[in-house]
Amino acid sequence: MSGQETHWHDMDTVCKRAKFLADEVPDKELFVFYDGDRRDAYTARELYTLAGRFANRLRQQGFERQDVIANTLANSPERVITDLGIMLAGCVTMNGQLLMADGSDFFRSAKNSRCRGIVMAVGESSAGWQLLGKYITVNNSQYVGDVLIKQAPEVKAAILVHREKDSQKKPFIDDLKTCGADIYDDKSIAPEDFGMVKTTSGSTGYSKLVPRTHKEIVTAMDLINSRRQWTHPRDNRSKIYSERLLGWAVGMTAKTFCMAETRVLSDKMSSPGPLSGAAIWRLVVAEGCNNCSLTLQDYESIYNHVTGTGGPKHRLDDVELAGQPVTEAQVKKTLTLSKAVTVAYGSTETYLIAEKRLHDSDDSYSSNNSGQPIAGTTVRVVDDKGEICKPGVTGTIHVTGPLVFKGYFNRLEDPDPQTKLAFTSDGWVNTNDYGYVDDSGDLFVLGRNNDIIVHGNYLFYPSWMENRLMEHPDILVACLVPVSDPVVYQNICACLKLVSGSELTEEKIKAYCQSTFLPSVSTVMTHMPDFYILFNDEFPETATGKPDKVTLRKMAEDKFGYIGRSKKVSSAVAWKGGCVIGGL
């Protein structure tokens, strides 16, 4: 092992990694943002400098070591700078997830974490500003305001991020570039200090908080990046296209600083909507990206564009597919544009659990195969009695290893009540996924054990939306069930029993659902029912009077599942006193 490589691996905090890159490869582009055709690149030195000046500003405003600051910014240069700056200040950056129009999801996270500050973009297009701007009581300066939120009383300040230029203020990044402030880098940060708090993908329920120390982040990234061929960051030629959210585990800001690769993505503060397959492929080709981390929806869109238009020729080295079970057909499609495909399985609580890498020379791939557990991670599959299943026998997946979290983050109630539910009595994480291990040790992940619906990379919690639907005066019973989809794995069908004489329509239901979420939030994150079955009279029930989910799921699958839709079902058909409304 060379001295240089040893030096890199001695960097046991995210802050040390960022400083090392700024010193050793100052001109290396780490992030490249696109707003349409406009390219905005940031080097290692530039990011460290801007983040260090932001850290200085935080300390001047009274923030102290291990204070939690919620970052609500979308994917953008400002998000990268503030995330790193919060850590350089010795504070903890928490993903400030904002989905609910009433703020209940954010307020609960802020209260449980004893959050001290919030980073938010200024402007009506900002979800953070829509929800939290009204709580700013005094503007101490053009960049900081006092905050009073009774639901989260320990939040004291809002760090305001401006894009527009006027006579009173400079845009956030321009100000950091010209302010001349010193770089603040808290040298007392220990590897065991928390660096980030991630949120789980409960897009329609309370997202649990998963804390990660600097050491855990660095260790995880080194294990995930173990296939690298370089011995020094200057030798890493990887350029990856990834629109994964910077605040989530898979796409987190720290990943780039720990892996020393160039990341290409779009600026969501300027263009919040999803990119088309054509737009994504144009960026991949223009930047010469050799790797991509894609959702199956994005890859499907790219594949349709390239095969439909003949489109720019480019061959990727690797495409990573993760977030939902992957089929044999999807892997074959991916290998038409890439030399290899990596199927990955993991979670916020565990990071990467297993992966399988296939090359175009490989003979076959079996659907749902997530490959072998990564180094240091152990997987077991157990039956209802807790006994280890034999190869090929389906059961619940448990995980243990160095990347597994220690418990959910809750400074009001330690340990968090959810922590006990997450672990078995002997210390394994219960993933609540079901699958099996084959004779060769490959892990096959088939889906969720409970009612959670897997829509692409996001988990949809039916009970939350069911309760909200039943607040509507025309809805007596609401039951949400999954229907199969070849791309996103599962779509959502709402089975609704209406009050007698109701004239509720599809348009009215959709408007009601949409009023639940902040209007500027991406619809991918706030997925709502795709299909509806309305019952005016009869409604399938069990002997105990509960919704018969087995029957309802079969009805929805027959009509709206992948097979059902291939039969071109009409958008409205009679069904035993109810009607079926198509949502496509």
Side-chain angles (χ1 to χ4, degrees):
M1 182 179 291
S2 69
Q4 289 178 325
E5 185 180 7
T6 302
H7 186 39
W8 172 249
H9 283 288
D10 284 343
M11 305 296 102
D12 53 8
T13 70
V14 176
C15 302
K16 289 178 182 178
R17 292 276 172 117
K19 178 65 163 59
F20 183 84
L21 293 176
D23 292 339
E24 294 289 320
V25 287
D27 298 325
K28 181 181 177 65
E29 292 182 346
L30 293 183
F31 286 90
V32 180
F33 288 91
Y34 273 87
D35 177 12
D37 293 328
R38 186 178 70 87
R39 185 180 192 271
D40 191 16
Y42 291 82
T43 65
R45 168 54 64 178
E46 187 174 19
L47 287 172
Y48 179 75
T49 300
L50 296 175
R53 290 174 177 171
F54 178 67
N56 193 330
R57 182 173 294 174
L58 291 176
R59 296 301 291 235
Q60 288 179 353
Q61 291 296 325
F63 288 101
E64 300 177 352
R65 288 185 74 252
Q66 293 297 281
D67 278 349
V68 173
I69 301 176
N71 199 336
T72 71
L73 300 183
N75 281 12
S76 59
E78 290 90 341
R79 177 69 189 236
V80 173
I81 291 165
T82 52
D83 265 349
L84 178 59
I86 290 168
M87 286 187 282
L88 289 175
C91 300
V92 184
T93 180
M94 181 175 75
N95 187 33
Q97 183 164 288
L98 300 169
L99 295 175
M100 303 298 106
D102 61 3
S104 56
D105 56 334
F106 176 80
F107 294 142
R108 184 172 176 182
S109 296
K111 183 178 181 179
N112 285 358
S113 64
R114 290 185 169 176
C115 175
R116 288 285 316 284
I118 308 167
V119 181
M120 70 173 80
V122 176
E124 292 306 316
S125 62
S126 162
W129 185 256
Q130 289 178 48
L131 176 64
L132 304 170
K134 59 188 175 185
Y135 295 103
I136 298 175
T137 58
V138 178
N139 276 4
N140 298 323
S141 70
Q142 56 184 329
Y143 302 111
V144 180
D146 291 341
V147 173
L148 179 61
I149 305 175
K150 66 178 182 179
Q151 302 95 321
E154 296 196 44
V155 177
K156 300 301 181 185
I159 299 97
L160 307 178
V161 174
H162 300 267
R163 275 265 172 115
E164 297 78 11
K165 181 179 181 180
D166 59 31
S167 59
Q168 300 298 317
K169 61 183 179 299
K170 293 180 180 179
F172 175 79
I173 292 179
D174 288 352
D175 177 66
L176 289 177
K177 287 181 177 179
T178 59
C179 69
D182 292 335
I183 295 172
Y184 188 91
D185 187 346
D186 191 337
K187 303 300 183 184
S188 67
I189 297 171
E192 293 74 25
D193 285 342
F194 288 130
M196 310 184 88
V197 176
K198 316 312 297 176
T199 50
T200 58
S201 62
S203 60
T204 53
Y206 171 59
S207 292
K208 296 182 285 293
L209 306 179
V210 179
R212 289 296 187 177
T213 67
H214 282 267
K215 182 64 175 178
E216 287 174 333
I217 296 168
V218 170
T219 300
M221 295 305 104
D222 283 347
L223 281 173
I224 292 170
N225 199 33
S226 60
R227 293 193 306 268
R228 73 183 187 277
Q229 300 299 313
W230 50 272
T231 57
H232 189 278
R234 72 168 61 93
D235 302 320
N236 184 8
R237 307 299 182 188
S238 175
K239 182 177 281 192
I240 184 169
Y241 173 86
S242 173
E243 294 288 356
R244 308 285 188 169
L245 299 178
L246 290 166
W248 284 36
V250 175
M252 64 179 178
T253 304
K255 184 177 181 181
T256 297
F257 293 104
C258 290
M259 299 179 75
E261 64 185 358
T262 300
R263 178 171 171 181
V264 179
L265 65 166
S266 58
D267 185 342
K268 294 303 182 186
M269 281 183 66
S270 294
S271 305
L275 296 184
S276 66
I280 293 173
W281 195 242
R282 183 169 63 250
L283 296 187
V284 169
V285 174
E287 288 294 325
C289 295
N290 50 6
N291 296 306
C292 283
S293 177
L294 297 169
T295 65
L296 286 169
Q297 303 95 294
D298 282 343
Y299 188 79
E300 186 77 8
S301 183
I302 292 170
Y303 177 83
N304 290 338
H305 164 67
V306 174
T307 57
T309 65
K313 300 298 181 184
H314 182 68
R315 186 75 165 169
L316 294 160
D317 290 333
D318 190 25
V319 170
E320 177 191 288
L321 300 176
Q324 67 185 77
V326 179
T327 67
E328 179 182 357
Q330 289 163 338
V331 167
K332 287 181 178 179
K333 279 185 178 181
T334 307
L335 288 172
T336 61
L337 298 180
S338 179
K339 298 175 185 176
V341 58
T342 300
V343 178
Y345 168 61
S347 70
T348 306
E349 290 90 341
T350 62
Y351 280 126
L352 183 63
I353 294 174
E355 68 175 6
K356 188 173 186 67
R357 196 162 190 256
L358 301 108
H359 299 79
D360 52 7
S361 58
D362 290 338
D363 294 329
S364 63
Y365 169 78
S366 298
S367 296
N368 306 318
N369 188 343
S370 296
Q372 302 274 333
I374 66 167
T377 296
T378 305
V379 173
R380 72 184 184 190
V381 178
V382 302
D383 60 22
D384 293 340
K385 297 179 180 180
E387 301 293 330
I388 302 296
C389 293
K390 295 180 179 179
V393 176
T394 299
T396 300
I397 299 169
H398 294 173
V399 181
T400 189
L403 303 188
V404 170
F405 83 132
K406 306 299 189 297
Y408 294 111
F409 190 66
N410 188 340
R411 285 179 165 173
L412 298 182
E413 194 172 358
D414 187 18
D416 186 287
Q418 294 295 322
T419 295
K420 185 176 181 180
L421 299 176
F423 289 87
T424 64
S425 59
D426 55 349
W428 294 62
V429 166
N430 181 354
T431 67
N432 280 318
D433 292 330
Y434 68 95
Y436 64 91
V437 175
D438 69 6
D439 289 327
S440 65
D442 279 2
L443 175 65
F444 287 71
V445 183
L446 304 179
R448 306 293 296 188
N449 267 329
N450 47 29
D451 290 336
I452 294 174
I453 297 172
V454 181
H455 177 79
N457 283 355
Y458 304 104
L459 304 181
F460 189 93
Y461 291 76
S463 60
W464 184 92
M465 180 58 82
E466 288 167 350
N467 291 336
R468 187 59 62 96
L469 283 168
M470 285 188 288
E471 292 175 6
H472 193 287
D474 283 340
I475 298 175
L476 292 176
V477 180
C479 182
L480 271 58
V481 296
V483 292
S484 61
D485 185 90
V487 177
V488 298
Y489 188 63
Q490 290 175 333
N491 277 316
I492 302 163
C493 179
C495 303
L496 308 175
K497 181 178 181 180
L498 309 183
V499 300
S500 178
S502 171
E503 297 181 355
L504 193 63
T505 64
E506 177 183 2
E507 289 71 24
K508 291 179 180 178
I509 299 172
K510 286 183 177 179
Y512 178 74
C513 291
Q514 289 167 353
S515 69
T516 300
F517 300 105
L518 286 168
S520 67
V521 177
S522 167
T523 55
V524 174
M525 285 287 294
T526 58
H527 194 68
M528 291 171 283
D530 303 274
F531 311 102
Y532 300 87
I533 302 179
L534 307 186
F535 295 84
N536 292 314
D537 297 312
E538 299 179 19
F539 186 81
E541 294 180 343
T542 65
T544 59
K546 296 180 179 180
D548 185 346
K549 292 188 176 182
V550 175
T551 298
L552 292 171
R553 184 166 181 167
K554 184 178 186 304
M555 290 171 60
E557 181 65 26
D558 287 345
K559 293 297 177 183
F560 300 127
Y562 176 51
I563 296 175
R565 277 184 285 147
S566 67
K567 298 177 182 178
K568 300 181 179 179
V569 178
S570 62
S571 63
V573 297
W575 188 283
K576 292 184 179 179
C579 72
V580 182
I581 301 176
L584 291 179

